[in-house]
Amino acid sequence: MFCRAFRVRSNTAIKGSDRRKLRTDVAAAFPNLSAEQLTEFIPNKEELNVIKIYTHKGEAVTVYTNSRNPILFEVEKALYPTVYALWAYPDLLPAFSTWPPVLQKLAGGADLMLPGVIVPPSGFPQVERGMLCAVTLSGNRAPVAVSVATMSTAEMLAAGMKGKGFAVLHTYMDHLWEYGDKSYPPTLAPLVTDPAEKESADDEEEMEEKEPVSSFSTDPLQHVDIGDLSLKEQDSCAILMGKEEHNENKAAETADDDNTEVQQEAEDSRTPQEQMDALLSQCFFHALKCKVKKSDLPLLTSTFLRSHMFPCCPAGQQLDIKKSSYKKFSKFLQCMQHQKILQVKELSKGVESIVEVDWKHPDIKAFTVPEGFSSASAAQDCKSEDKEQAYHAPEIIPLYGVSTKMVPLFQESGHKKGSILSSSEVRNIIVNYVKTNELVDEANKNFVKVNAILCDCLLDKSEQDEISNLKWDDLLSRCLERLQPLHQVTFFGQEPIVRKGKIEPIDITIAQRSSNKKVTIIKNLELYGLDPQSVANILQQKVQASATIAPVPGTKDRVQVQIQGNQIHHLAKMLLEEYQLPRKYIQGLEKAPKLGRKK
C-alpha cells in the first residue's frame, strides 16, 4: 500500500475529545492491550496528529502520529498498527517469521507467499482468514511488516504451505516508515516457552559460536535485505529461501575456497531474480572499485548506471534492474546508502547524483574482479575510464494534473484534484462529457454548447456573457491550458519520473567576456540525463577549446558548461545527431554563427 510515495492532504493536531475516541477505538481493535499500555499508546499530553493522505492508487488513508512517528493507519474504518507501534508492543499481533532476503520484496509491494514462511518447532499461531498478523525476520522478534492472513492456519497447512499466505499492507522501509524518524528495528530475542524449543535454541546458539559465518548480526542493518550482507554472505542468504534450516550453515560454508563445487551448485539453484540481484551487486562494486574516481563526483546516477555499471557486466549476461528484487535503480542505491557505502542527493529537482563514496568500506575492499574479466582489462579499468556506452535520450511525455477549478468537469469520470492524465486521456474525458450531457450543437456539429460547468471551468469572467458555443479545438485547448502542467521522464533502464511543470529545455546562450571574447554556455543538461562534466570533456576534445563547469548564478546545486568561442554548430551536431535529442527540447540553436566565405 505504501511502496510508492503518497500525497498528504491535511495534518491537524488531535484534541482531548478526539483522543478519548481514538483510545476507545484502539481498545476495541486491540483488546489484548492493558489499560496502562493503552495510556502509553495514546497519551494524554504528548503531541498527537491526524494526517489525511492519498496513496499512489488514490486510496484515502488516515494516519495517526505520535511525536511525528506514524503509530496507526486507518483504511475504510479499520485500524492497523505501524511497525513503529509494533516495535513498542511486539506481541500485539500474532507473528509469522520469514527469511531476511524476503523483506526487500515485501517492501517493494509483494505479498508474503507461504513457501517463504518459516515453520517454527512449536507450530504456527492459530489465526483465521482476514485476521491481522505481523511478519518478523528469522532470529528477531521485532515485526517488519503488517499483513492480513489470506488463509486460516489450518488452510495453510492443508495447502502444503503453497500459495499466498498474507496480503502485506505496510513494511519497514516503505514510504509510511520513511514519514517517521526512519529508525531501525530493535533486536528482540524470540520467545522460548517450550522446553524442547529452548533446547533447540541452545543448540543453534552453540552452532553460531562455532560457525559465525552463517549467523546473522544483531545489528538492525543486518536484517534489512540481501544487500545488507557482505558479498560472500549474499550467496548463502539467497539459498536460505529454498532450503531447510539445517542446511543454513552448510550453505554459508560455500564461501570457503575448499568448497567451490558446493558453491557452484548453490549458485545454479538460485532463482532468476536472485541471480539478477547478485549480478547487480557485482557490477555495482566492480564499477565503484575500478571505474569511478573521486574527481568524478558528483556523478549522475543515470550516468553511473549507463557508463560505469553496464560495462562491468560479464560477456553473455545482461543487467536488467526490472528483473531484480529491487525493480528500481533508486531503490537499490537507497539500500546501498543504508549500508553507508555511498551517499545520494537530489542536486537538481528530480535528478539524483552520487555525491560521496566510502572507498574504505569493507565490501568495496573485499570485492575482487570476476574471472570473466582479464587481468589486463581489469588493470585498464582501474587506471582509466572506458568509453561511454551509447547515450539513450529519455522519453518525455507531457502530462496534466486536475486543478481545483477543473474538478467539476472531471469528477463525472471519477477523477479528483491532483489526478494525473495524458493529453489523449483528457481529450477522451472531454468528448465523453460533451456526448453524455448532449452538448453537441445540432445545427453545427463542429461546435459545442457551453453549459454552466464548462462556463465556470473554461471561460474568463468577461467571456461568460458573450460565448455560448465553442469549437472542438478551442474547447480542448482551453481545457489543457487550465490544467496543471506536468511531465514524465523515463531514462534508459529506470522507472518513469513525474515532475511538476513543463520540462525546461537545454538552454544554449552566447556571452561576451573581456577582450571581446565569446563563450558558449549550456544549462539544464542534467534534466536529460547528461553529465555536464562528460559533455564538457567531449566538447573540449572535439573543438580543442577550454571547457569548464561553473555553478548556475542564482542557484545552489545546479551547474552549467562554459566553453570558449561560439560552439553551437558542434553542440547541435552532438545533441541532435549523436544523442538524438528532439530539437524542441533545445533552445538557442539559432544563435549559431553563419557559415560563409571569409574575406
Side-chain angles (χ1 to χ4, degrees):
M1 181 176 287
F2 305 104
C3 60
R4 295 187 186 177
F6 53 76
R7 186 164 56 87
V8 176
R9 188 179 64 182
S10 64
N11 186 342
T12 55
I14 302 178
K15 297 181 181 178
S17 58
D18 293 329
R19 285 185 190 231
R20 288 191 292 274
K21 182 181 182 304
L22 178 60
R23 192 179 290 120
T24 303
D25 292 341
V26 171
F30 310 108
N32 52 342
L33 280 176
S34 66
E36 185 180 347
Q37 289 175 326
L38 200 59
T39 305
E40 290 176 358
F41 197 24
I42 310 296
N44 292 319
K45 295 183 179 180
E46 289 182 28
E47 181 186 356
L48 279 180
N49 285 61
V50 57
I51 302 169
K52 307 285 187 180
I53 67 170
Y54 286 120
T55 67
H56 68 283
K57 290 184 178 179
E59 300 165 302
V61 179
T62 302
V63 178
Y64 298 94
T65 64
N66 182 353
S67 301
R68 300 187 179 180
N69 269 352
I71 55 170
L72 294 163
F73 62 97
E74 185 177 359
V75 183
E76 296 179 352
K77 297 184 179 180
L79 279 175
Y80 304 92
T82 67
V83 290
Y84 290 108
L86 291 178
W87 294 341
Y89 308 100
D91 302 318
L92 186 64
L93 302 177
F96 292 78
S97 188
T98 187
W99 304 113
V102 178
L103 175 59
Q104 183 66 42
K105 299 175 184 179
L106 301 183
D111 290 324
L112 180 58
M113 310 303 284
L114 289 176
V117 178
I118 301 170
V119 182
S122 58
F124 288 133
Q126 294 300 312
V127 299
E128 297 298 324
R129 183 183 301 187
M131 188 178 288
L132 205 56
C133 300
V135 179
T136 64
L137 297 181
S138 174
N140 190 357
R141 196 160 50 94
V144 293
V146 179
S147 65
V148 174
T150 59
M151 302 183 191
S152 67
T153 303
E155 288 171 333
M156 293 178 196
L157 298 173
M161 294 304 291
K162 293 181 181 179
K164 183 167 77 172
F166 303 88
V168 175
L169 304 176
H170 155 57
T171 70
Y172 162 60
M173 290 202 309
D174 68 7
H175 285 272
L176 183 60
W177 168 80
E178 286 184 357
Y179 198 78
D181 60 15
K182 301 181 183 179
S183 55
Y184 299 113
T187 302
L188 303 175
L191 291 175
V192 181
T193 54
D194 184 53
E197 187 178 345
K198 186 174 182 180
E199 186 178 346
S200 174
D202 292 339
D203 292 342
E204 286 180 10
E205 189 174 344
E206 287 180 15
M207 289 296 290
E208 286 178 1
E209 290 176 3
K210 292 179 181 178
E211 301 181 28
V213 175
S214 64
S215 66
F216 292 103
S217 168
T218 56
D219 184 353
L221 282 171
Q222 295 295 329
H223 294 289
V224 174
D225 53 64
I226 196 167
D228 285 343
L229 303 176
S230 69
L231 293 176
K232 291 182 179 179
E233 288 170 326
Q234 286 183 14
D235 288 337
S236 60
C237 194
I239 299 165
L240 291 176
M241 298 179 64
K243 300 290 184 181
E244 296 285 340
E245 189 173 355
H246 69 271
N247 285 335
E248 292 177 43
N249 296 329
K250 183 177 178 181
E253 289 175 359
T254 61
D256 297 332
D257 294 336
D258 56 349
N259 281 331
T260 54
E261 291 181 7
V262 179
Q263 184 178 16
Q264 185 64 45
E265 290 176 10
E267 288 178 355
D268 293 340
S269 68
R270 293 179 301 179
T271 65
Q273 190 178 70
E274 290 164 354
Q275 292 177 26
M276 188 57 67
D277 283 350
L279 179 62
L280 183 61
S281 292
Q282 176 184 314
C283 296
F284 171 77
F285 286 106
H286 189 169
L288 284 185
K289 188 163 186 176
C290 296
K291 290 183 174 293
V292 179
K293 301 175 183 176
K294 191 172 183 179
S295 58
D296 295 331
L297 305 180
L299 178 66
L300 290 174
T301 56
S302 56
T303 302
F304 175 62
L305 176 64
R306 183 182 70 250
S307 303
H308 299 287
M309 284 183 62
F310 281 165
C312 292
C313 190
Q317 297 188 53
Q318 185 175 358
L319 186 60
D320 189 344
I321 295 167
K322 290 183 179 179
K323 292 181 180 178
S324 71
S325 63
Y326 301 95
K327 305 301 180 187
K328 296 181 183 179
F329 189 50
S330 58
K331 200 80 176 176
F332 172 75
L333 290 179
Q334 182 185 11
C335 197
M336 297 299 104
Q337 187 166 257
H338 277 311
Q339 297 179 60
K340 303 187 177 179
I341 295 173
L342 48 70
Q343 188 176 357
V344 177
K345 281 188 178 179
E346 193 177 276
L347 296 183
S348 300
K349 192 174 182 181
V351 181
E352 291 186 333
S353 298
I354 298 170
V355 295
E356 190 177 335
V357 176
D358 180 11
W359 275 283
K360 295 181 180 179
H361 194 280
D363 284 353
I364 298 180
K365 282 188 168 185
F367 180 80
T368 55
V369 177
E371 292 180 3
F373 290 82
S374 65
S375 57
S377 66
Q380 185 178 358
D381 283 344
C382 293
K383 291 178 183 177
S384 62
E385 296 181 13
D386 285 336
K387 290 184 178 179
E388 288 193 10
Q389 277 206 349
Y391 167 78
H392 295 267
E395 181 186 2
I396 302 168
I397 302 172
L399 297 173
Y400 301 89
V402 178
S403 58
T404 305
K405 187 177 180 181
M406 298 293 283
V407 168
L409 184 54
F410 285 84
Q411 63 186 4
E412 281 190 17
S413 57
H415 295 90
K416 57 186 80 170
K417 181 185 174 183
S419 294
I420 299 174
L421 306 165
S422 65
S423 56
S424 60
E425 288 173 326
V426 172
R427 182 185 179 87
N428 291 336
I429 290 169
I430 297 301
V431 169
N432 289 336
Y433 176 84
V434 170
K435 290 182 178 179
T436 303
N437 291 276
E438 299 179 350
L439 298 177
V440 178
D441 194 331
E442 295 178 0
N444 187 346
K445 294 189 177 180
N446 292 326
F447 285 85
V448 174
K449 292 182 285 187
V450 177
N451 65 0
I453 290 178
L454 290 177
C455 180
D456 291 340
C457 293
L458 304 181
L459 299 183
D460 296 332
K461 287 187 178 180
S462 59
E463 298 175 321
Q464 291 181 356
D465 295 329
E466 300 175 2
I467 298 177
S468 59
N469 293 293
L470 285 172
K471 284 187 176 181
W472 277 103
D473 290 344
D474 191 17
L475 177 72
L476 293 169
S477 61
R478 282 171 178 262
C479 183
L480 293 176
E481 286 171 4
R482 284 160 174 77
L483 292 171
Q484 182 186 4
L486 307 164
H487 65 277
Q488 176 181 288
V489 182
T490 308
F491 294 106
F492 179 72
Q494 298 188 39
E495 290 293 313
I497 302 168
V498 176
R499 302 174 185 155
K500 290 184 179 180
K502 295 180 180 179
I503 189 168
E504 296 180 62
I506 293 176
D507 184 32
I508 304 171
T509 55
I510 304 297
Q512 199 152 330
R513 298 292 187 250
S514 58
S515 304
N516 204 27
K517 290 182 179 178
K518 292 181 178 179
V519 294
T520 304
I521 301 173
I522 312 110
K523 302 176 187 175
N524 302 330
L525 290 168
E526 306 98 321
L527 301 180
Y528 296 83
L530 288 167
D531 185 5
Q533 186 64 61
S534 299
V535 172
N537 294 342
I538 294 168
L539 277 174
Q540 186 169 333
Q541 292 174 2
K542 285 189 174 184
V543 303
Q544 295 298 302
S546 174
T548 59
I549 300 293
V552 176
T555 65
K556 292 182 179 179
D557 302 313
R558 299 182 70 172
V559 296
Q560 62 188 19
V561 176
Q562 293 184 11
I563 186 164
Q564 287 183 358
N566 187 330
Q567 308 297 349
I568 293 182
H569 277 306
H570 295 283
L571 263 173
K573 185 175 180 180
M574 183 169 72
L575 297 175
L576 297 174
E577 297 178 18
E578 295 179 27
Y579 293 163
Q580 297 289 306
L581 282 166
R583 183 179 286 269
K584 64 181 177 180
Y585 296 125
I586 305 171
Q587 177 179 287
L589 294 179
E590 71 281 357
K591 296 169 187 173
K594 293 181 180 179
L595 297 176
R597 190 187 296 175
K598 290 185 179 180
K599 294 184 180 180

